[in-house]
Amino acid sequence: MTEPKTKIVQAGIGSDPAHGSVAPPLYLSSTYLWPSPSEKREYDYGRSNNPNRDFLAEALTEMDGGAGAVVTTSGMAAIDLVLNLINADDLVIAPHDCYGGTHRLLTHRAAQGRIRVAFVDQGDAAALADALSRSPALVMIETPSNPLMRILDVKAVCSAAKAAGAITVVDNTFLSPLRLRPLDLGADIALQSTTKYINGHSDIIGGCVVAKSPEHVEQLAWWANAAGVTASAFDCHQTLRGLRTLALRLDAAESNAKAIAQYLTQQTHVTAVHYPGLKTHEGHDIVMAQQAGPGAMLSFEVAGGLDAATRFCQALELFKLAASLGGVESLICLPETMTHRGMEESARREAGISESLLRLSVGIEAKRDLFADLMKGFADIQ
Ligand SMILES: *Cc1c(COP(=O)(O)O)cnc(C)c1O
């Protein structure tokens, strides 16, 4: 069996029948010739199918070990697409600390009367059992959570959700299938914002859904075509180009993140470090059991409140102040005023997000330069 990292390098390579190009050509055409009115070729219209989208879908399918993949215009489109698998008034269970965009989408779909939704702390066994006793049609899972890196046992939650009759969906954006393979752990569907690690260069918005059963793949592909949320040829071409180096990028970023997490634990101005790779991190044993590595996302809290956290991120030069994650470049964000500003303050506190929490998406730059940059931040809040 060829390994996933070989598959993603090879996807679409040497497949050009016309000129034998090594890299796959970019097929921008929206429509394709019919040999005769009764004979259709493999490709006929770009919303329904496109060679570049198929090359990417094939690579994503292989990485997750699914039956097929649908590539969408964004991560949010991928999440909305999955909601087509359930009926009006069906109950969706989502993490109470899920991605903000997911929280907004589910809340407003519920307000429209399209679904019902319950946000639950899935790490609380009693709360999860109570939610599952309400016969949900779909259970969404995210691990590690954003921004506190809380860990969920995917196998345990999927098996309990399955027993309750729900479709299980894992948003695997923070890790990618090279670190967590949700379908192997019992999930029906794995989805991602390909905007993040998959493309990896912060220059594309995209998403994907990979399903374990051919029936789900067929339904998802049908809806993606019907609703027109399939990704463009150009975006798929660029995303596959980025994906080819995912294994190298993740190894480098993760190695940097491990070193930075250790360094942060030694700083007097740091009051907490949240990184799944630390032995002290709650759920570290689950990380070791279910993941191929701890990933490159982490968060930490500094002494001195919002003021110190603000000064810290403004003192940095390499770590760019921006939301998003998973690119080759390092980013820093202040959830209090950036990614989580849409939440009520009380809800942020209840979720454990303090005003001095900083989140890092660690990139692949040289370690010593990243350390030197962080030192500037600490010098500024002494
Ligand atoms: C970014 C993100 C999304 C949304 O993806 P877009 O590509 O921005 O639409 C969904 N889930 C998680 C965990 C994310 O980080």
Side-chain angles (χ1 to χ4, degrees):
M1 266 286 279
T2 320
E3 287 191 35
K5 72 182 198 187
T6 305
K7 298 266 188 182
I8 63 182
V9 168
Q10 290 283 333
I13 295 286
S15 63
D16 170 27
H19 304 292
S21 72
V22 170
L26 169 54
Y27 295 90
L28 288 171
S29 188
S30 58
T31 190
Y32 295 79
L33 293 172
W34 286 59
S36 77
S38 59
E39 281 174 275
K40 192 169 85 66
R41 291 178 199 253
E42 184 180 359
Y43 295 99
D44 61 341
Y45 186 62
R47 168 163 38 75
S48 317
N49 47 28
N50 167 280
N52 297 101
R53 201 185 302 134
D54 281 355
F55 294 145
L56 176 59
E58 215 173 288
L60 293 165
T61 301
E62 291 287 348
M63 270 203 300
D64 259 316
V70 179
V71 185
T72 57
T73 50
S74 69
M76 291 319 305
I79 293 169
D80 204 38
L81 180 62
V82 162
L83 297 181
N84 289 304
L85 296 178
I86 61 172
N87 294 311
D89 224 30
D90 276 348
L91 178 65
V92 175
I93 304 280
H96 72 309
D97 53 359
C98 65
Y99 176 71
T102 305
H103 197 282
R104 178 176 57 196
L105 176 67
L106 296 176
T107 303
H108 288 262
R109 285 290 189 220
Q112 287 178 312
R114 299 224 190 164
I115 55 168
R116 287 177 298 129
V117 66
F119 295 101
V120 175
D121 179 354
Q122 298 173 344
D124 175 341
L128 180 65
D130 186 50
L132 293 178
S133 73
R134 296 168 60 194
S135 305
L138 193 147
V139 174
M140 290 212 37
I141 298 168
E142 268 180 48
T143 187
S145 76
N146 176 22
L148 290 167
M149 308 293 137
R150 290 201 179 107
I151 302 301
L152 263 192
D153 185 333
V154 176
K155 214 179 210 169
V157 177
C158 284
S159 110
K162 275 248 178 75
I167 299 171
T168 48
V169 181
V170 175
D171 181 339
N172 196 23
T173 301
F174 267 44
L175 290 171
S176 93
L178 292 189
R179 289 297 179 270
L180 180 79
R181 301 230 314 172
L183 304 185
D184 292 350
L185 298 169
D188 297 307
I189 289 171
L191 61 82
Q192 290 177 82
S193 164
T194 55
T195 311
K196 317 293 168 51
Y197 284 102
I198 298 294
N199 179 57
H201 294 74
S202 304
D203 53 8
I204 287 286
I205 299 287
C208 68
V209 183
V210 182
K212 194 160 96 197
S213 83
E215 294 73 30
H216 279 159
V217 174
E218 199 180 317
Q219 289 176 55
L220 291 163
W222 189 92
W223 276 107
N225 177 51
V229 297
T230 48
S232 77
F234 181 79
D235 285 2
C236 293
H237 183 72
Q238 287 296 94
T239 303
L240 180 55
R241 192 174 189 273
L243 176 59
R244 296 192 195 286
T245 54
L246 177 65
L248 294 172
R249 288 188 282 109
L250 260 177
D251 286 350
E254 191 172 62
S255 162
N256 283 346
K258 284 179 184 171
I260 287 172
Q262 279 301 339
Y263 164 80
L264 291 172
T265 59
Q266 292 149 15
Q267 301 305 308
T268 47
H269 283 75
V270 171
T271 53
V273 182
H274 309 283
Y275 181 59
L278 291 174
K279 284 195 183 66
T280 49
H281 192 76
E282 198 178 332
H284 178 73
D285 52 328
I286 300 170
V287 172
M288 299 303 286
Q290 74 184 10
Q291 294 178 204
M297 293 297 298
L298 63 91
S299 62
F300 64 103
E301 288 161 52
V302 292
L306 183 61
D307 181 51
T310 302
R311 276 189 287 129
F312 186 92
C313 42
Q314 285 181 321
L316 304 188
E317 285 166 31
L318 282 181
F319 282 86
K320 298 290 185 281
L321 184 63
S324 197
L325 60 117
V328 287
E329 74 291 340
S330 293
L331 299 180
I332 186 165
C333 89
L334 180 54
E336 177 76 5
T337 61
M338 294 173 68
T339 49
H340 289 66
R341 68 176 183 281
M343 271 169 99
E344 293 286 336
E345 186 178 351
S346 58
R348 276 197 300 270
R349 298 300 169 263
E350 204 170 312
I353 302 167
S354 85
E355 57 177 10
S356 68
L357 183 76
L358 292 160
R359 189 189 79 180
L360 301 182
S361 170
V362 180
I364 66 170
E365 301 92 338
K367 273 189 189 63
R368 53 182 288 178
D369 293 330
L370 293 178
F371 282 127
D373 207 42
L374 292 169
M375 278 175 206
K376 286 182 196 152
F378 288 116
D380 212 68
I381 61 170
Q382 288 302 316

